[in-house]
Structures are given as C-alpha cells and as structure tokens.
Amino acid sequence: MHSLRFTAESSSDGMVERDFVLGEVPGVLWSPASGADRAPLILVGHDGGKHKKHPAMTGRAQSFVNGCGAHVAVIDAPGHGDRPRTAFDERVKAALAEARAAGEPVGPIVRHHNARVAELALPEFRAALDALQELPEIGTDGPVGYFGIRMGTSIGVPLVAVEPRITAAVFGLHWPDDLAEKAKQVTVPVEFDMQWDDEHIPREAGLALFDAFASQEKTLHANAGRQGELPRFEVDSAVRFFARHLGRAATSQA
Amino acid sequence: MHSLRFTAESSSDGMVERDFVLGEVPGVLWSPASGADRAPLILVGHDGGKHKKHPAMTGRAQSFVNGCGAHVAVIDAPGHGDRPRTAFDERVKAALAEARAAGEPVGPIVRHHNARVAELALPEFRAALDALQELPEIGTDGPVGYFGIRMGTSIGVPLVAVEPRITAAVFGLHWPDDLAEKAKQVTVPVEFDMQWDDEHIPREAGLALFDAFASQEKTLHANAGRQGELPRFEVDSAVRFFARHLGRAATSQA
C-alpha cells in the first residue's frame, strides 16, 4: 500500500490546497485554513474530460470547505489530468469527435468510456481513502461523503455500493444502464441531480437511476433545462445535504 | 372592495402576528418584529382540513419571516378554520370517512373537494392581495410569492396562472387532473415537491403536474417516502427559493 506524498502547498480564500501523489495517481486535498481536526472528508469524482483542478472542482471544493468545514479530495481519473492517455482514451476521443461531427448521439460512447474508467478508478479511490484517513487531521473516525456527477457518478455509484466508510453521496446526470444494479446496493442518503430537458439522457433514464437507489433517504432534484444548464444553486444544496449528513452545520449563506 | 381590518395583535420569537378579517374571510399576517418596509410578501394556501393557524402554517411562517425577512399571510379557505361549514363540506367529510373505513382510495374525493374550494378561494386570495398591498408596510411595489402544497396547490396553481403580481411559487403533492391546464399558464419560477412513494398520488401523476408548468425555471424535489413523510428540510429549501427570487438574502441557517 502506498502512502500519500504531498508535493505542493498553497493557500487562498481560507482554503489550504495540497497537491499529492499516491503511487501513480495525482490528487489534491483542500482543507479549511483555520484547521479542521476530525472534520468530514468529501471525496469528489470529476467529470469525463475534466481533471482534479478543473474550475468546476475548485469551485465545489471551496463550497464544501467553507460550507461544511470539510476536507475535500479529488484524484485524477485514469486517462485524465496529469495521467497518461492510453490507446483506449484516444479511441474514445476520436469516436466522440466523429459522432459530434456526424450529429450522432454521443451517449453510447460516453457510457462505454465512463464504465471502463469507473472500473479502473474504483480501487484508486479506495486506496486514496485509506491514505487520506492515515493523515492525523482526517483520521479514521470522521464521516466521509462522496460527490460526483456525470462520470463522477459512474465512479461513485459502484464505489459507494462497496465502501461502508462513505455515508452520504451526491450523484447525477447519468444513464442507469451500467449503474442501476450497483445503485440497488446503495443504502446511504443520496441527493440526485437530473436535468428535465437533458438532450443526452432521456428523462425516463434519469428517473430510473434515481429509482434504483435502495436508500431510505433519497432526494431527486430535477431542474428545467438542458444538461449543461444544471443550476449553480444545486452545489449550495449539496453543501446543506452534506452538512445534514456529515454532522457539521453549514456556515455559509445560501 | 373590502379593506383589511386587524382584530388582534401579538408577538413572539421576532415575529408580529396580526389577525385580520377581510369581508367574511379571516386571515393572519405575520411580519418581522424588526420592521420590514417594502419587504416581500408570501401568500400561503393551507392544506385541506387545516386552517390559517395550524402548526404547519405557523412553522412555515416563522421560516419565511426569519429566513426571507418577508411578510407572510394566510387566509382560511372556504369551509375551513373560523369559516362556516356548508352542506358540501359535510358531504365531503362523510365521503372521506366512508372511503377510509372501507379502505377505498380517497384521491377522487380529495380532488373533487380541492377543485371546488380552489374555485371559491381564487377571488378571495386576489382580494386579500389587493388589501394587503394597501398596507404601507407592504405596498404595491414589493415582490410577492406563493406557497401551498396539497389543497394549497389546488388554490395556488390557478391563482398564479392569472395573477401577475405573484412572481415565484412553491407547490406540491397533487394530481394533475384539474391543474395541468392551469399549470401550462404558469411561467414564473416554481419549486415543486412530490413524494416518490406517495400512497395516494401515483408517481406519474406528480411528474405530469411538474412537467405541465411552462416556467423556464422550475425544480422538482422528489423525496423517498410516503405522502406524510415530506421532509422538513423542504421548507428550508423553500426559504432559499424565495430568497433567490424575491430578492432578499436568507438570514437563517440551513
């Protein structure tokens, strides 16, 4: 088992940012600058084609650090960010470009890609959680949440299904095809985002994935609009969801 | 046109409560004790079988007064609270008792009742809005919202469809049958609550009513559980929804 090795540290806006590597996997850990011993940890799975420090990730990290007093960790998924691209990644990229140029649906390609990445990422996320919990400021007794939409949901649903340390999760914007069976094993509180007029994911598909979760407490947030129009206020909602379930009061305004 | 006449005043927990009558309609107006000139006004339609000061109403009023700095007004619906019961009300009450005793669905009776009450309540709500806006502390230029679930949705959907002064609304827990056509005329931002495992309202029926709203901004919140299990945090969500749309920042914690 690898130990987590920090490679860089900076801080801004009340948040400490530490780059790390864990074996071959680069990641980033954001923490409250004020210190946060035994604070909750929120693992974030980034979206396909993005990476650990994409602005969408840093924005969410800021919200979770400020709003939940939490540590937030993101690792680059296989083939993303600072990790090498494989022949598989190149084939997917070419197939996506081809489908878009031809005006054909990209859904089947995205699903195939996400399923493969999720398979590879699952042990990496569990190893990252092991290593992060070895840090004295996190420890093994604090609550752990997971946030990931799109590809982050592909990774997160199988992860949360098998990882008892994760006790609350936010998912969204995905088809049920590869995930519904895993979702049936998820019993922790779930908040699930979908777009009512998603141009890629049929409405029934989004509803079916939400329906599949076995969680006694689960909430669907469906907003009018296309996939790219998921409202920013859903991040604020995720902050409150984690604050409710990970045991820290939200400190930021809605 | 009647003027609003205050009949009692008290205050507690930072909230002033004033009973009023408007013609034959009794109502209550809650306001921030700190004063709230030109603050938003939120009209609340109560649920069937309840009344203007049912604990569910006072609880929501407290949330909206504290969280949005708003005035909150509720009027007794026809046949409810301090208003006389008619032969229609007695027939509905008997039919409900009979259906429950026989283990038969109450939905058809509730829908019939709600549609009739809504028809009567519509002009009363518009008259109340006229009269409330004559009060100097409310005025005609402040934003107005509407909150009502179950029977409050029966009243609210036709009301918001024809009332341009109402610019944001929270609805929920209703069938589309009598309301979908009216919902198609609603264009203001809507937050809509449904229960995923509602024992009275089929899932497809709740989704169909949400779908019918013409609003460009609309959000569905579907929670696991039966109808009576609508989570309390949805009131907090309504506070933030109104704070976003009626132009006052939320001042309470989530």
Side-chain angles (χ1 to χ4, degrees):
Chain A
M1 180 179 148
H2 292 285
S3 275
L4 189 148
R5 186 164 58 82
F6 287 111
T7 57
E9 174 166 345
S10 63
S11 82
S12 67
D13 296 330
M15 187 161 86
V16 177
E17 173 179 308
R18 285 180 287 177
D19 295 354
F20 65 79
V21 288
L22 182 70
E24 295 170 355
V25 179
V28 56
L29 175 64
W30 286 287
S31 306
S34 57
D37 279 6
R38 299 290 188 266
L41 169 65
I42 299 173
L43 300 175
V44 175
H46 67 72
D47 189 10
K50 297 198 171 74
H51 59 85
K52 64 184 177 304
K53 288 195 190 177
H54 185 278
M57 301 307 124
T58 54
R60 277 164 206 158
Q62 187 90 60
S63 297
F64 296 153
V65 169
N66 291 348
C68 305
H71 301 281
V72 178
V74 194
I75 55 176
D76 277 336
H80 288 74
D82 296 327
R83 302 183 67 177
R85 307 297 184 265
T86 64
F88 169 77
D89 301 317
E90 298 304 335
R91 281 199 304 276
V92 166
K93 195 176 165 186
L96 278 176
E98 206 173 307
R100 284 192 183 115
E104 285 166 5
V106 297
I109 304 164
V110 172
R111 285 205 297 277
H112 174 65
H113 170 259
N114 288 3
R116 175 68 186 139
V117 171
E119 203 178 335
L120 298 170
L122 180 63
E124 296 175 353
F125 261 91
R126 300 193 81 175
L129 180 51
D130 290 342
L132 287 161
Q133 287 194 322
E134 283 182 14
L135 298 174
E137 66 270 38
I138 295 181
T140 56
D141 56 351
V144 182
Y146 180 89
F147 178 101
I149 59 170
R150 296 191 183 90
M151 192 181 79
T153 288
S154 299
I155 296 171
V157 173
L159 174 67
V160 176
V162 296
E163 181 48 79
R165 289 175 289 183
I166 301 176
T167 55
V170 177
F171 299 124
L173 300 180
H174 213 282
W175 301 261
D177 308 53
D178 302 294
L179 297 180
E181 287 306 310
K182 298 290 180 188
K184 288 178 189 168
Q185 300 167 42
V186 171
T187 57
V188 300
V190 164
E191 188 162 287
F192 186 87
D193 297 328
M194 65 176 277
Q195 287 294 95
W196 198 242
D197 312 293
D198 195 307
E199 69 276 31
H200 300 299
I201 306 170
R203 190 175 292 171
E204 295 66 32
L207 293 171
L209 180 50
F210 171 69
D211 193 43
F213 289 101
S215 314
Q216 205 175 353
E217 179 171 343
K218 59 179 180 180
T219 306
L220 172 72
H221 285 185
N223 284 282
R226 291 159 64 92
Q227 185 171 122
E229 295 173 322
L230 181 69
R232 278 169 185 269
F233 58 70
E234 290 299 350
V235 173
D236 300 323
S237 179
V239 167
R240 288 182 297 271
F241 171 82
F242 285 127
R244 282 202 303 278
H245 293 292
L246 304 181
R248 288 273 175 140
T251 55
S252 70
Q253 292 302 316
Chain B
M1 178 178 148
H2 294 284
S3 275
L4 188 149
R5 186 164 58 83
F6 287 111
T7 57
E9 175 167 343
S10 63
S11 83
S12 66
D13 295 329
M15 188 161 86
V16 177
E17 173 179 308
R18 286 179 286 177
D19 295 353
F20 65 79
V21 289
L22 182 69
E24 294 169 355
V25 179
V28 57
L29 175 63
W30 286 287
S31 305
S34 58
D37 279 6
R38 297 293 187 265
L41 170 65
I42 299 173
L43 300 175
V44 175
H46 67 72
D47 188 10
K50 297 197 170 75
H51 59 85
K52 63 183 177 307
K53 288 195 191 178
H54 185 278
M57 302 305 125
T58 54
R60 278 163 204 159
Q62 188 88 60
S63 297
F64 296 153
V65 168
N66 291 349
C68 306
H71 300 280
V72 178
V74 195
I75 55 177
D76 277 335
H80 289 74
D82 296 328
R83 302 183 66 176
R85 308 297 184 265
T86 63
F88 169 77
D89 302 316
E90 298 303 335
R91 280 199 306 277
V92 166
K93 194 175 164 184
L96 278 176
E98 206 173 308
R100 284 192 183 114
E104 284 167 6
V106 297
I109 304 164
V110 172
R111 286 204 298 277
H112 173 66
H113 169 259
N114 288 3
R116 176 67 186 139
V117 171
E119 202 178 338
L120 298 170
L122 180 63
E124 297 175 353
F125 261 91
R126 300 194 80 174
L129 180 51
D130 290 342
L132 287 161
Q133 287 194 321
E134 282 182 13
L135 298 174
E137 66 270 38
I138 295 181
T140 57
D141 57 351
V144 182
Y146 180 88
F147 178 102
I149 58 171
R150 297 192 182 91
M151 192 181 79
T153 288
S154 300
I155 296 171
V157 173
L159 173 67
V160 177
V162 297
E163 180 49 78
R165 290 175 288 182
I166 300 175
T167 56
V170 177
F171 298 124
L173 300 181
H174 214 282
W175 301 260
D177 308 52
D178 303 294
L179 296 181
E181 286 307 309
K182 298 290 181 188
K184 288 178 188 168
Q185 301 167 41
V186 171
T187 57
V188 299
V190 164
E191 189 162 287
F192 185 87
D193 296 328
M194 66 177 275
Q195 287 295 93
W196 199 242
D197 312 293
D198 195 308
E199 70 276 30
H200 300 300
I201 306 171
R203 191 175 292 171
E204 297 65 34
L207 294 171
L209 180 51
F210 172 69
D211 193 44
F213 290 101
S215 313
Q216 205 173 353
E217 179 171 343
K218 59 179 179 180
T219 305
L220 171 70
H221 285 186
N223 284 282
R226 291 159 65 93
Q227 185 171 122
E229 295 174 320
L230 180 69
R232 277 170 186 269
F233 58 70
E234 290 298 350
V235 172
D236 300 323
S237 180
V239 167
R240 290 183 296 271
F241 171 82
F242 285 127
R244 282 202 303 277
H245 293 293
L246 305 181
R248 290 274 175 137
T251 55
S252 70
Q253 291 302 315

